């Protein structure tokens, strides 16, 4: 087992979570009735995938093979199962479901940032990920605005 095995495993888990979330946003954007919702969801999906690319580079730097796909977690499917109905319903439902999905991914990042078995450089990468969209919540408030 390489000295970086734990770091690679944790980073790959975060990559999977980001891809799962992005896939859910892409699917929800396809089903959105309101163009502004579709555009917002597409933008969030892109942000998740950009952060996943950053983590993939970190995995490669540590000698690993980055994940290219999301997981097949029922939990992730459940996080987005209500999107289609919410998009047909009220704006508050969309915000609530989005906030829930984002919170799940953020919790995984926070857990990784607190993992003392990770190298300091990997923890720093995870912490920086928490400070940028999509995990910083800086744009989540945009969806709370009925004009979005």
């Amino acid at each position: 087992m390489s000295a970086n095995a734990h770091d690679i495993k944790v980073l790959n888990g975060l990559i999977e979570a980001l891809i799962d979330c992005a896939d859910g946003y892409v699917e929800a954007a396809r089903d959105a009735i309101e163009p502004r919702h579709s555009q917002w969801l597409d933008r969030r999906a892109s942000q998740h995938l950009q952060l996943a690319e950053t983590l993939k580079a970190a995995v490669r730097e540590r000698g690993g093979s980055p994940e290219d796909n999301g997981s097949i977690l029922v939990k992730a499917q459940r996080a987005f199962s209500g999107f289609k109905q919410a998009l047909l319903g009220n704006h508050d439902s969309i915000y609530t479901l989005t906030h829930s999905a984002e919170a799940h991914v953020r919790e995984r990042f926070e857990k990784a940032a607190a993992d003392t078995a990770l190298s300091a450089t990997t923890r720093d990468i995870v912490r920086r990920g928490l400070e940028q969209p999509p995990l910083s919540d800086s744009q989540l408030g945009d969806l709370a605005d009925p004009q979005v």
Side-chain angles (χ1 to χ4, degrees):
M1 181 183 276
S2 92
N4 294 323
H6 181 65
D7 288 22
I8 291 167
K9 180 181 176 186
V10 170
L11 289 169
N12 273 330
L14 296 174
I15 292 166
E16 283 182 346
L18 288 165
I19 292 171
D20 283 339
C21 204
D23 288 348
Y25 284 140
V26 168
E27 185 177 321
R30 273 196 311 262
D31 294 332
I33 294 171
E34 294 285 335
R36 68 181 191 264
H37 293 154
S38 179
Q39 292 165 359
W40 191 90
L41 291 162
D42 280 337
R43 190 168 56 247
R44 291 301 277 194
S46 292
Q47 291 170 337
H48 278 76
L49 294 175
Q50 286 172 347
L51 184 51
E53 287 302 319
T54 299
L55 298 184
K56 286 179 182 185
V59 168
R60 284 186 210 95
E61 289 169 4
R62 285 152 182 75
S65 297
E67 290 294 329
D68 285 326
N69 300 305
S71 63
I72 307 176
L73 296 172
V74 175
K75 192 171 191 177
Q77 291 173 342
R78 274 186 277 164
F80 287 100
S81 65
F83 262 116
K84 188 171 185 177
Q85 291 151 347
L87 290 168
L88 296 172
N90 68 42
H91 187 84
D92 290 339
S93 296
I94 299 166
Y95 177 79
T96 301
L97 287 167
T98 302
H99 192 346
S100 175
E102 296 284 324
H104 172 72
V105 174
R106 185 168 180 76
E107 285 171 14
R108 293 198 54 184
F109 268 76
E110 288 171 345
K111 181 179 176 185
D115 184 346
T116 58
L118 287 178
S119 68
T121 55
T122 298
R123 275 197 318 273
D124 187 52
I125 289 168
V126 172
R127 286 184 190 122
R128 280 182 294 185
L130 282 165
E131 296 169 359
Q132 58 185 295
L135 300 179
S136 67
D137 273 349
S138 63
Q139 294 176 345
L140 193 55
D142 292 350
L143 190 59
D145 179 356
Q147 300 303 311
V148 173

